[in-house]
Amino acid sequence: MSTPSPRIDGRTPEQLRPITIERGWSKHAEGSVLISFGDTKVFCTASVTEGVPRWRKGSGEGWVTAEYSMLPRSTNTRGDREAVRGKIGGRTHEISRLIGRSLRAVIDYKSLGENTIVLDCDVLQADGGTRTAAITGAYVALADAVAWAQGKKLIKAGRKPLTDTVSAVSVGIVGGVPLLDLCYEEDVKADTDMNVVCTGDGRFVEVQGTAEAEPFDRKELNALLDLALGGCEDLANLQREALAATRQ
Amino acid sequence: MSTPSPRIDGRTPEQLRPITIERGWSKHAEGSVLISFGDTKVFCTASVTEGVPRWRKGSGEGWVTAEYSMLPRSTNTRGDREAVRGKIGGRTHEISRLIGRSLRAVIDYKSLGENTIVLDCDVLQADGGTRTAAITGAYVALADAVAWAQGKKLIKAGRKPLTDTVSAVSVGIVGGVPLLDLCYEEDVKADTDMNVVCTGDGRFVEVQGTAEAEPFDRKELNALLDLALGGCEDLANLQREALAATRQ
Amino acid sequence: MSTPSPRIDGRTPEQLRPITIERGWSKHAEGSVLISFGDTKVFCTASVTEGVPRWRKGSGEGWVTAEYSMLPRSTNTRGDREAVRGKIGGRTHEISRLIGRSLRAVIDYKSLGENTIVLDCDVLQADGGTRTAAITGAYVALADAVAWAQGKKLIKAGRKPLTDTVSAVSVGIVGGVPLLDLCYEEDVKADTDMNVVCTGDGRFVEVQGTAEAEPFDRKELNALLDLALGGCEDLANLQREALAATRQ
Amino acid sequence: MSTPSPRIDGRTPEQLRPITIERGWSKHAEGSVLISFGDTKVFCTASVTEGVPRWRKGSGEGWVTAEYSMLPRSTNTRGDREAVRGKIGGRTHEISRLIGRSLRAVIDYKSLGENTIVLDCDVLQADGGTRTAAITGAYVALADAVAWAQGKKLIKAGRKPLTDTVSAVSVGIVGGVPLLDLCYEEDVKADTDMNVVCTGDGRFVEVQGTAEAEPFDRKELNALLDLALGGCEDLANLQREALAATRQ
Amino acid sequence: MSTPSPRIDGRTPEQLRPITIERGWSKHAEGSVLISFGDTKVFCTASVTEGVPRWRKGSGEGWVTAEYSMLPRSTNTRGDREAVRGKIGGRTHEISRLIGRSLRAVIDYKSLGENTIVLDCDVLQADGGTRTAAITGAYVALADAVAWAQGKKLIKAGRKPLTDTVSAVSVGIVGGVPLLDLCYEEDVKADTDMNVVCTGDGRFVEVQGTAEAEPFDRKELNALLDLALGGCEDLANLQREALAATRQ
Amino acid sequence: MSTPSPRIDGRTPEQLRPITIERGWSKHAEGSVLISFGDTKVFCTASVTEGVPRWRKGSGEGWVTAEYSMLPRSTNTRGDREAVRGKIGGRTHEISRLIGRSLRAVIDYKSLGENTIVLDCDVLQADGGTRTAAITGAYVALADAVAWAQGKKLIKAGRKPLTDTVSAVSVGIVGGVPLLDLCYEEDVKADTDMNVVCTGDGRFVEVQGTAEAEPFDRKELNALLDLALGGCEDLANLQREALAATRQ
């Protein structure tokens, strides 16, 4: 690997952007977070309802799902609303499913009991890494919602529906250099782009790598995975700190 | 009219909720505002594009339109996303059209030239009066977008596309008492609900009164109009103050 | 107010167009009316079904709703069918909701019992004022449907589900002159356009005023309300006469 | 074949229901007809526009197409609007296509020139045979629209876009007896149901026979075709008479 | 009729294309067939489920329905997928309904009992006659599915849900000559195109004749029906042979 | 890793299912392949059209895209058609996008010139690994389509639009054992499921790993990547052999 050229925003290759996690951003939702990864801002709410979808009734198990969306002017040029077009685009579908799977990886359905938690992740401002910010923020909203449900006795005493934390980060190779947590400008120039979702104990939940320009080899893949594991560890610490603070 | 019973939140009948108008809330949009009417929070962005819809090409005149939407968990119980249902509901359509008409009432199309400005009003948190907050906030975002377009010379020197300010407020009769700027709890109990949109010079752009429970007479209508005119005047002053401040 | 200039069709400012109300226009519907406001013709049917929508079951209360639509060639140039486009437009939604609310204002849900009445208002020919003709005609169809349901004992003996009549009319300011019941040509030229829905006792159900070109002041608003109240009174009399006649 | 039992409405097996054809039923459309086959009433409008769909541009040839729809309460029990359901049903599609093909069978595209005529056939009241009434009425509206276009010089002098008349009728076997022009009650009981479209010179444009209950043999098919040819001849005469009358 | 000119592919006017019927083409479906009419290849599967649609519950009777679709590149130029366009086209609807009606003509619902069989007919390659190949192949898949259901005791012992075989063929007049089983090149040139569905005993289930270019007279109709009856008889024999073979 | 337990179908952990690649399966498409990975059968067609989507016009560069779909009865229980539901599901969207990206990774857009190639991958029978079979088969269809376009001189002489081969395979951990090319029964039981797309030179185009049940660690990830690289190498050889054979 060549000596890293300085990044657009002065970060080192293995450095996250400034991360902020504000809990309690909604007076209605059972859990809510405004998370920022630099200029990327995602508003995550967790909504708890008793009961589960029909195909799961009577199982004694809960369900967690997610929906992702971008506000029309969250990006540099305004995009059409999917509601106006009358259908959800492929990218939106894909990311919603990814967020749902990532959170379900740390849920013990039995302990959750027949309750459903829906995570809504709406991108207010986009600057790269919206899906990874969404997963990281949604986990915190989910944790607050689980605590709320425990307080309301919707979850049986002593049950711990959350088996671990989960966080996500993007990594990519830009100009031959593996970088952590790409902003939009870096993302556009990346040869390879990877999103990695990890549990708090450093195991993988999702690894999604895509050769945007040039196929990548095993060595490059390994360098990216190293970066991602470090980034997820940092994010897990920030999640724990945020949750340790008294909810405002 | 009986002596007004104290309101839920301690306001007098003719008092607005605390109003905040934060400009520059988006790094991408040409104009953007986060407006609060008490716990109602609406994020308004104004997007400028050169050119106009096909039916207006070659007219030398501009166009202004709006889209309103509620985040799924902006309300007390989560609502389905319209994008997921695949169609826009009647209420959303109605409010989007109202916001567009209200802003167009203070636009001089000729001065705007062949430019289009789209206002997106996304409700982050709802507590009554989302459409009136949206109109009031969207005007400020529009004013910033017009200034931006003037700076970029998209609008000819000396042209003033904005002919006045425009603001909106709800009024209603609750327990026999006419009240200004209803919060959700008051709105639910109102016999009559009216939304009034006024220009800065105190004239009406829209008057939409609906008997929710009991038809209303001319005297009640007059009392509501009096309240609304006062509220819109206060809001116009707040808009002017917000715009007078240096944009952050 | 200046001396009124003669209207396109020779009416005085406060004169309705010729109104005809033909009952029994469908052999299938429980109530049906072909109503004309001049060249505007709307076919209104009222369909009674036992039972209510799911969210109202067990309440002991009925429900009334409405759907409005224009035939593709009811207007001067052919419009696309909404069924072909695959979605209902905003204007259609808005008017359907207005008709429903207007009729519900004179319904006593308890007396109606758990029955549903759907009003279909299909515009066969449009020449301005289709929504006000629809409300006025739909009321008569509704009254016939209620009578039918009473005859079939779907409504308990002695119960009167209709608390009053309801009618609607448009008013507007054209060339500075307030006019009643605008035809299309007048509507296009109006600075201000207002639709007013009143009960038979002269109270307001809906007041929807829009500044099409120029904001309007309190004095103009008052002149329009005066005209509208007179027009609705005339329409209420025509509704009563139509219902007094033996159904053909 | 057994001696025919008297029909529900007293007709002989080879007798049409009372047919009425009222021209000029719309002030906007270039051609318009309200046609009745007994209690079946269809409102047909013909809309002329200059130009043709993109795939036909520059061919020098015109186009004719049709759309069929039933008002929600044209039938005994109210049906959902297709616009509300967001899609056109198979039956509607099928009939729209049938009407279009039937009318195109008597159109000389070259003589029509690059003009498009759209026939809208909206069923106001249904009592069997709506598609055959629609074709028969649409032809008359089409003839009026062609005459209008000739008057406006949209069609070159001396050109005759209509090569013949076209009409349609249903036939069916009910209780073993072949019957002409089935009303709804007969249609429901038919073993075989056939719709036949003929030109004025007695040739077939469409023959659509369906065994509703029991497959039919060659002899039955022949009896049905005999009946249909007679019915279409009668309808062609009624069309000619209607068109011979001065348009009201 | 003039001496038949040799056909494109050397067949005599009354000759079918080479027909192949391969059973057991799917390991999942209860019945499945790949049928070829020359270069037209349709993959037909029959899916059995216990129970019937809601409107038929408790009747003791079964239901059979069909869905037809063309793969996007089954034709010479690629067509858009209907799933991508978000709606089913009129032609697809029409053919799906035709296939369903044709198969139901040989079903005894009582004997089938409350079971539903769905026939999916997907055109892998099209060269004219896809709907007739679909009906002919679907019957064989249906027969296998019925046998499967009998083996599983979903159908009561001794019950025979199939009352006969059913097959279909196209006929048309090309250059004045009536021809059986048109390939695409012939179909395009046909003045008249007819699809005929017959039961094994030579009776008609559907007769759908369309004048593509020129209306047709009774004599031509008779010649086409003669050809079709012969073709269906041949197809019925091929169906019986295919079903007599041990399923692979 | 424990000693591998024998697989359901007797394969060793690193063994592919029997693979067959039949070229020329459609007479219409410019390239077409029926590929089998064991009982998984996917029909892939490549359609060439001159020109590119609007956003790419004038760039001198071509475009390649893909659509994936499952026939309703390709699976063990029948699924609804997406065309009937009126929208494409998230999974279908995701896989279509994956196939498109994978093929574009080996396309030199400049050499392709302004031509578009659409790959349609329709699953006729599913038994696990449909997306990987689709990518592997689509590459062969694409190669045939490129050769066809070269023969037609749509591609300039000497240009080589394909920079390498591309193939894909699934890997997963079942009962603690990493396995190559999972069949459906194995897939359902897998703790971790990964799809890997590689170029012929052994570099990665896509790595998509998902923890279905249990997060996976770096060592497990490495074992899966080893297996996948071997599988893709075998598939690349089979692709080369298939393309070396004279097209039937």
Side-chain angles (χ1 to χ4, degrees):
Chain A
M1 214 176 303
S2 64
T3 307
S5 55
R7 295 175 76 168
I8 295 152
D9 50 11
R11 284 185 284 155
T12 62
E14 65 283 353
Q15 194 179 353
L16 292 169
R17 288 178 284 180
I19 310 292
T20 65
I21 301 176
E22 292 179 53
R23 287 162 65 210
W25 222 69
S26 155
K27 77 171 211 177
H28 297 304
E30 286 74 35
S32 65
V33 160
L34 181 68
I35 190 165
S36 306
F37 275 35
D39 279 336
T40 289
K41 296 185 198 175
V42 185
F43 181 34
C44 309
T45 59
S47 299
V48 180
T49 48
E50 290 186 72
V52 283
R54 196 174 348 175
W55 51 271
R56 215 173 172 83
K57 270 185 187 148
S59 66
E61 302 194 338
W63 187 238
V64 171
T65 186
E67 290 185 7
Y68 166 96
S69 184
M70 298 182 87
L71 290 199
R73 194 55 199 279
S74 57
T75 45
N76 194 41
T77 53
R78 185 178 182 273
D80 287 342
R81 280 176 197 270
E82 294 185 323
V84 170
R85 273 190 281 139
K87 53 183 170 184
I88 303 253
R91 179 183 174 277
T92 298
H93 256 141
E94 214 169 292
I95 297 178
S96 294
R97 287 156 55 90
L98 171 66
I99 300 170
R101 282 199 310 272
S102 297
L103 295 173
R104 289 192 293 271
V106 294
I107 282 286
D108 172 7
Y109 296 133
K110 276 284 173 212
S111 295
L112 181 56
E114 289 204 11
N115 296 296
T116 297
I117 305 182
V118 180
L119 280 303
D120 284 290
C121 301
D122 287 89
V123 178
L124 303 187
Q125 188 168 280
D127 186 33
T130 61
R131 79 190 70 187
T132 54
I135 291 167
T136 306
Y139 170 76
V140 177
L142 175 64
D144 271 334
V146 164
W148 178 91
Q150 286 169 323
K152 291 282 177 190
K153 311 289 184 211
L154 295 177
I155 293 171
K156 287 192 191 148
R159 294 294 177 91
K160 294 190 168 177
L162 290 170
T163 59
D164 200 344
T165 62
V166 68
S167 63
V169 77
S170 73
V171 285
I173 299 176
V174 182
V177 184
L179 301 178
L180 180 69
D181 187 23
L182 309 186
C183 66
Y184 180 71
E185 208 175 325
E186 291 171 336
D187 188 64
V188 164
K189 291 187 289 186
D191 286 323
T192 294
D193 181 21
M194 187 174 291
N195 290 292
V196 177
V197 185
C198 289
T199 47
D201 66 1
R203 286 187 298 158
F204 298 105
V205 170
E206 288 270 342
V207 173
Q208 297 201 338
T210 298
E212 297 289 347
E214 191 63 19
F216 50 100
D217 62 23
R218 190 70 175 266
K219 200 178 124 199
E220 290 168 316
L221 176 56
N222 281 331
L224 291 173
L225 291 169
D226 289 340
L227 273 182
L229 284 167
C232 282
E233 195 179 329
D234 292 348
L235 290 166
N237 287 331
L238 292 166
Q239 289 174 320
R240 277 185 285 257
E241 280 169 32
L243 286 165
T246 305
R247 182 167 157 174
Q248 41 295 57
Chain B
M1 215 174 302
S2 64
T3 307
S5 56
R7 297 175 74 170
I8 295 151
D9 49 12
R11 285 185 283 155
T12 62
E14 64 284 352
Q15 195 179 352
L16 293 170
R17 289 177 284 179
I19 310 291
T20 65
I21 302 177
E22 293 180 51
R23 288 161 65 211
W25 222 71
S26 156
K27 76 171 213 177
H28 297 305
E30 285 74 36
S32 65
V33 160
L34 182 67
I35 191 164
S36 306
F37 277 34
D39 278 338
T40 289
K41 295 185 200 176
V42 185
F43 181 33
C44 309
T45 59
S47 299
V48 180
T49 48
E50 289 186 72
V52 283
R54 198 174 347 176
W55 51 270
R56 216 173 170 84
K57 270 186 188 147
S59 66
E61 302 193 338
W63 187 239
V64 171
T65 186
E67 290 184 6
Y68 165 97
S69 184
M70 299 182 87
L71 290 199
R73 193 55 200 278
S74 57
T75 45
N76 194 40
T77 53
R78 185 177 182 275
D80 287 342
R81 281 176 195 269
E82 295 185 322
V84 169
R85 274 190 280 139
K87 53 184 171 184
I88 303 254
R91 179 183 174 278
T92 298
H93 256 142
E94 214 169 293
I95 299 178
S96 293
R97 286 157 56 90
L98 171 65
I99 300 170
R101 281 199 311 272
S102 298
L103 296 173
R104 288 193 293 270
V106 295
I107 281 285
D108 172 8
Y109 296 133
K110 275 285 173 212
S111 295
L112 182 54
E114 289 202 12
N115 296 295
T116 297
I117 304 181
V118 180
L119 280 303
D120 285 290
C121 301
D122 287 88
V123 178
L124 304 186
Q125 189 168 278
D127 186 31
T130 62
R131 76 189 73 187
T132 54
I135 292 168
T136 306
Y139 170 77
V140 177
L142 176 63
D144 270 336
V146 164
W148 178 91
Q150 287 170 321
K152 290 282 177 190
K153 312 289 185 210
L154 295 177
I155 292 171
K156 288 192 189 148
R159 296 292 178 90
K160 293 190 167 174
L162 289 171
T163 60
D164 200 344
T165 62
V166 67
S167 62
V169 77
S170 72
V171 285
I173 300 176
V174 182
V177 185
L179 300 179
L180 179 71
D181 187 24
L182 310 185
C183 67
Y184 180 72
E185 209 176 323
E186 292 172 335
D187 188 64
V188 163
K189 291 187 288 185
D191 285 323
T192 292
D193 181 21
M194 186 174 294
N195 291 292
V196 177
V197 184
C198 288
T199 47
D201 65 2
R203 288 188 296 159
F204 298 105
V205 170
E206 290 269 343
V207 174
Q208 296 200 339
T210 298
E212 298 290 347
E214 191 63 20
F216 50 100
D217 62 23
R218 190 71 174 264
K219 199 177 125 199
E220 289 168 316
L221 176 57
N222 282 331
L224 291 173
L225 291 169
D226 289 341
L227 272 182
L229 284 168
C232 281
E233 196 180 327
D234 292 349
L235 289 167
N237 288 330
L238 292 166
Q239 289 174 319
R240 277 185 285 258
E241 279 168 32
L243 285 165
T246 305
R247 184 167 155 175
Q248 39 296 55
Chain C
M1 214 176 304
S2 64
T3 308
S5 54
R7 296 175 76 169
I8 294 151
D9 50 11
R11 284 185 283 156
T12 62
E14 65 282 355
Q15 195 180 352
L16 292 170
R17 288 177 285 180
I19 309 291
T20 64
I21 301 177
E22 292 179 55
R23 287 162 65 212
W25 222 71
S26 156
K27 77 171 211 179
H28 297 305
E30 286 73 35
S32 65
V33 160
L34 182 68
I35 191 164
S36 306
F37 276 34
D39 279 338
T40 288
K41 295 185 200 176
V42 185
F43 180 35
C44 308
T45 58
S47 300
V48 180
T49 48
E50 290 186 73
V52 283
R54 196 174 347 177
W55 50 271
R56 215 170 171 85
K57 270 187 187 146
S59 66
E61 304 193 339
W63 186 239
V64 171
T65 186
E67 291 185 6
Y68 165 97
S69 184
M70 300 182 86
L71 289 199
R73 193 56 199 277
S74 57
T75 45
N76 193 41
T77 53
R78 184 177 184 275
D80 286 342
R81 280 174 197 272
E82 294 185 323
V84 170
R85 272 190 281 139
K87 52 183 168 186
I88 303 253
R91 179 183 173 275
T92 298
H93 257 141
E94 213 169 293
I95 299 178
S96 293
R97 285 156 56 90
L98 171 64
I99 300 170
R101 281 198 311 271
S102 298
L103 296 172
R104 287 193 294 270
V106 294
I107 282 285
D108 172 8
Y109 296 133
K110 276 283 174 213
S111 295
L112 182 55
E114 289 204 11
N115 296 295
T116 297
I117 304 181
V118 180
L119 279 304
D120 285 290
C121 300
D122 287 89
V123 178
L124 304 186
Q125 190 169 279
D127 187 31
T130 60
R131 79 189 71 187
T132 54
I135 291 167
T136 306
Y139 170 76
V140 178
L142 175 63
D144 271 335
V146 164
W148 178 90
Q150 287 169 323
K152 290 282 177 190
K153 311 288 183 212
L154 294 177
I155 292 170
K156 287 192 190 149
R159 295 294 177 90
K160 294 191 168 176
L162 289 170
T163 59
D164 200 343
T165 62
V166 68
S167 62
V169 78
S170 72
V171 284
I173 299 176
V174 182
V177 186
L179 301 178
L180 179 70
D181 187 22
L182 310 185
C183 67
Y184 180 72
E185 209 175 323
E186 292 171 336
D187 188 65
V188 163
K189 291 187 290 187
D191 285 323
T192 294
D193 181 21
M194 186 174 291
N195 291 293
V196 177
V197 184
C198 289
T199 47
D201 65 1
R203 287 187 298 158
F204 298 105
V205 171
E206 288 269 343
V207 173
Q208 296 201 339
T210 298
E212 297 289 347
E214 192 63 19
F216 50 100
D217 61 23
R218 191 70 175 266
K219 201 178 122 198
E220 289 168 316
L221 177 57
N222 282 331
L224 291 173
L225 292 169
D226 289 340
L227 273 182
L229 283 167
C232 281
E233 196 180 328
D234 293 348
L235 289 167
N237 287 331
L238 292 166
Q239 288 174 320
R240 278 185 284 257
E241 279 168 33
L243 286 165
T246 307
R247 182 167 155 172
Q248 40 294 56
Chain D
M1 216 174 303
S2 64
T3 307
S5 55
R7 296 174 77 168
I8 295 152
D9 50 11
R11 285 185 284 155
T12 62
E14 64 282 354
Q15 195 180 352
L16 292 169
R17 288 177 284 179
I19 310 292
T20 64
I21 301 177
E22 291 180 53
R23 287 160 65 210
W25 222 69
S26 156
K27 77 171 211 178
H28 296 305
E30 286 73 36
S32 65
V33 160
L34 182 67
I35 191 164
S36 307
F37 276 33
D39 278 337
T40 288
K41 295 186 201 175
V42 185
F43 180 35
C44 308
T45 59
S47 299
V48 179
T49 47
E50 290 186 72
V52 283
R54 198 175 344 178
W55 50 272
R56 215 171 172 84
K57 269 186 188 147
S59 66
E61 303 193 338
W63 186 240
V64 171
T65 186
E67 290 184 6
Y68 165 97
S69 184
M70 300 182 87
L71 291 199
R73 194 55 199 279
S74 57
T75 45
N76 193 42
T77 52
R78 184 176 184 276
D80 287 342
R81 282 176 196 270
E82 294 185 322
V84 170
R85 272 189 282 138
K87 52 183 170 184
I88 303 254
R91 180 184 173 276
T92 298
H93 256 142
E94 213 169 294
I95 298 178
S96 294
R97 286 157 55 90
L98 171 64
I99 300 170
R101 281 200 311 271
S102 297
L103 296 172
R104 287 193 294 271
V106 295
I107 281 285
D108 173 7
Y109 295 133
K110 276 284 174 212
S111 296
L112 182 55
E114 289 203 11
N115 296 296
T116 297
I117 304 181
V118 180
L119 280 303
D120 285 290
C121 301
D122 287 89
V123 178
L124 304 186
Q125 190 168 278
D127 187 31
T130 61
R131 77 189 73 186
T132 55
I135 291 167
T136 306
Y139 170 76
V140 177
L142 175 63
D144 271 335
V146 164
W148 178 90
Q150 287 169 323
K152 291 282 178 191
K153 311 290 185 210
L154 294 177
I155 292 171
K156 287 192 190 148
R159 294 295 177 89
K160 294 190 167 175
L162 290 170
T163 59
D164 201 343
T165 62
V166 67
S167 62
V169 77
S170 73
V171 285
I173 300 176
V174 182
V177 185
L179 300 178
L180 180 70
D181 187 23
L182 310 185
C183 67
Y184 180 72
E185 209 176 324
E186 291 172 336
D187 188 64
V188 164
K189 292 187 290 188
D191 285 323
T192 293
D193 182 20
M194 187 174 293
N195 290 292
V196 176
V197 185
C198 288
T199 47
D201 66 0
R203 288 187 296 159
F204 299 105
V205 170
E206 288 270 343
V207 173
Q208 296 201 339
T210 299
E212 298 290 348
E214 191 65 18
F216 51 100
D217 62 23
R218 190 71 175 265
K219 200 177 124 199
E220 290 169 315
L221 176 57
N222 281 330
L224 291 173
L225 291 169
D226 288 341
L227 272 182
L229 283 167
C232 281
E233 197 180 327
D234 292 348
L235 289 167
N237 287 331
L238 292 166
Q239 289 174 319
R240 276 185 287 257
E241 278 169 31
L243 285 165
T246 306
R247 183 166 157 177
Q248 40 296 55
Chain E
M1 216 175 300
S2 63
T3 307
S5 54
R7 296 174 75 168
I8 294 151
D9 50 10
R11 286 185 283 154
T12 62
E14 65 283 354
Q15 195 179 351
L16 292 169
R17 288 177 284 179
I19 310 292
T20 65
I21 301 176
E22 292 180 52
R23 287 161 64 210
W25 221 71
S26 155
K27 77 171 211 178
H28 298 303
E30 285 74 35
S32 65
V33 159
L34 181 68
I35 191 165
S36 307
F37 276 33
D39 278 338
T40 289
K41 296 186 199 176
V42 185
F43 180 35
C44 309
T45 58
S47 298
V48 180
T49 48
E50 290 186 72
V52 283
R54 196 173 349 174
W55 50 271
R56 216 173 171 84
K57 270 186 186 147
S59 66
E61 303 193 339
W63 186 240
V64 171
T65 186
E67 290 184 6
Y68 165 97
S69 184
M70 299 183 85
L71 290 199
R73 194 54 198 279
S74 57
T75 45
N76 194 40
T77 53
R78 186 177 183 274
D80 286 342
R81 281 175 196 270
E82 295 185 323
V84 170
R85 273 189 281 140
K87 53 182 169 185
I88 303 255
R91 179 183 173 276
T92 298
H93 256 141
E94 212 170 293
I95 299 178
S96 293
R97 286 157 55 90
L98 171 65
I99 300 170
R101 282 200 310 272
S102 297
L103 296 172
R104 288 192 294 269
V106 295
I107 281 285
D108 172 8
Y109 296 132
K110 277 282 173 214
S111 296
L112 182 55
E114 289 204 11
N115 296 296
T116 297
I117 305 182
V118 180
L119 279 302
D120 284 291
C121 301
D122 287 89
V123 177
L124 303 187
Q125 188 168 279
D127 187 31
T130 61
R131 78 189 72 186
T132 54
I135 292 166
T136 306
Y139 170 76
V140 177
L142 175 64
D144 271 334
V146 164
W148 179 91
Q150 287 170 322
K152 291 283 178 189
K153 310 290 184 210
L154 295 176
I155 292 170
K156 286 189 189 151
R159 294 295 176 91
K160 294 190 169 176
L162 289 170
T163 60
D164 201 343
T165 62
V166 67
S167 62
V169 78
S170 72
V171 284
I173 300 176
V174 183
V177 185
L179 301 178
L180 179 71
D181 187 23
L182 309 186
C183 67
Y184 180 71
E185 208 176 323
E186 291 172 336
D187 188 65
V188 164
K189 291 187 290 186
D191 286 321
T192 294
D193 181 21
M194 186 175 291
N195 291 292
V196 177
V197 184
C198 289
T199 46
D201 65 2
R203 287 187 297 158
F204 298 105
V205 170
E206 289 269 342
V207 173
Q208 296 201 339
T210 298
E212 297 288 348
E214 192 63 18
F216 50 99
D217 62 22
R218 190 70 174 267
K219 201 178 123 197
E220 290 169 316
L221 176 57
N222 281 331
L224 291 172
L225 292 169
D226 289 341
L227 273 182
L229 284 167
C232 281
E233 196 180 327
D234 292 348
L235 289 167
N237 287 331
L238 292 165
Q239 289 174 319
R240 277 185 284 259
E241 279 169 32
L243 286 165
T246 306
R247 182 166 156 175
Q248 43 291 59
Chain F
M1 214 175 303
S2 64
T3 307
S5 55
R7 297 175 74 169
I8 295 150
D9 49 11
R11 285 185 284 153
T12 63
E14 65 282 354
Q15 194 180 353
L16 293 169
R17 288 176 286 180
I19 310 291
T20 65
I21 301 176
E22 292 179 53
R23 287 162 64 211
W25 222 70
S26 155
K27 78 171 212 178
H28 297 304
E30 286 74 34
S32 65
V33 159
L34 182 67
I35 191 165
S36 308
F37 275 35
D39 278 336
T40 289
K41 294 186 201 176
V42 185
F43 181 34
C44 308
T45 58
S47 299
V48 180
T49 47
E50 289 186 73
V52 282
R54 196 172 350 175
W55 51 271
R56 216 173 170 83
K57 268 186 190 151
S59 66
E61 302 193 338
W63 186 239
V64 171
T65 186
E67 290 184 6
Y68 165 96
S69 184
M70 299 183 86
L71 290 199
R73 194 55 199 278
S74 58
T75 44
N76 194 40
T77 54
R78 185 177 182 273
D80 286 341
R81 281 176 196 270
E82 295 185 322
V84 169
R85 273 190 281 140
K87 53 184 170 183
I88 303 253
R91 180 184 173 276
T92 298
H93 256 142
E94 212 169 294
I95 299 178
S96 293
R97 287 156 55 90
L98 170 65
I99 300 170
R101 280 199 312 271
S102 297
L103 295 173
R104 288 194 293 271
V106 295
I107 282 286
D108 172 8
Y109 295 133
K110 277 283 174 212
S111 296
L112 181 55
E114 288 202 11
N115 296 295
T116 297
I117 305 181
V118 181
L119 280 303
D120 285 290
C121 301
D122 287 88
V123 178
L124 304 186
Q125 190 169 278
D127 186 32
T130 61
R131 77 189 73 186
T132 54
I135 292 167
T136 307
Y139 170 76
V140 177
L142 175 63
D144 270 335
V146 164
W148 178 91
Q150 287 169 322
K152 291 283 177 189
K153 313 289 185 210
L154 294 177
I155 292 171
K156 288 193 189 145
R159 295 293 178 90
K160 295 191 167 175
L162 290 171
T163 59
D164 200 344
T165 61
V166 66
S167 62
V169 78
S170 72
V171 285
I173 299 176
V174 183
V177 185
L179 301 178
L180 180 70
D181 187 23
L182 309 186
C183 66
Y184 180 72
E185 209 176 322
E186 291 171 336
D187 188 64
V188 164
K189 292 187 288 187
D191 285 323
T192 293
D193 181 20
M194 186 174 292
N195 291 292
V196 176
V197 184
C198 288
T199 47
D201 65 1
R203 288 187 297 159
F204 298 105
V205 170
E206 289 270 342
V207 173
Q208 296 200 339
T210 298
E212 298 289 347
E214 191 64 19
F216 51 100
D217 62 23
R218 190 72 175 266
K219 200 178 125 199
E220 289 168 316
L221 176 56
N222 281 331
L224 290 173
L225 291 169
D226 289 341
L227 272 182
L229 284 167
C232 282
E233 195 179 330
D234 292 348
L235 288 167
N237 287 330
L238 292 166
Q239 289 174 318
R240 277 186 285 258
E241 279 169 31
L243 285 164
T246 306
R247 183 167 155 176
Q248 39 297 55

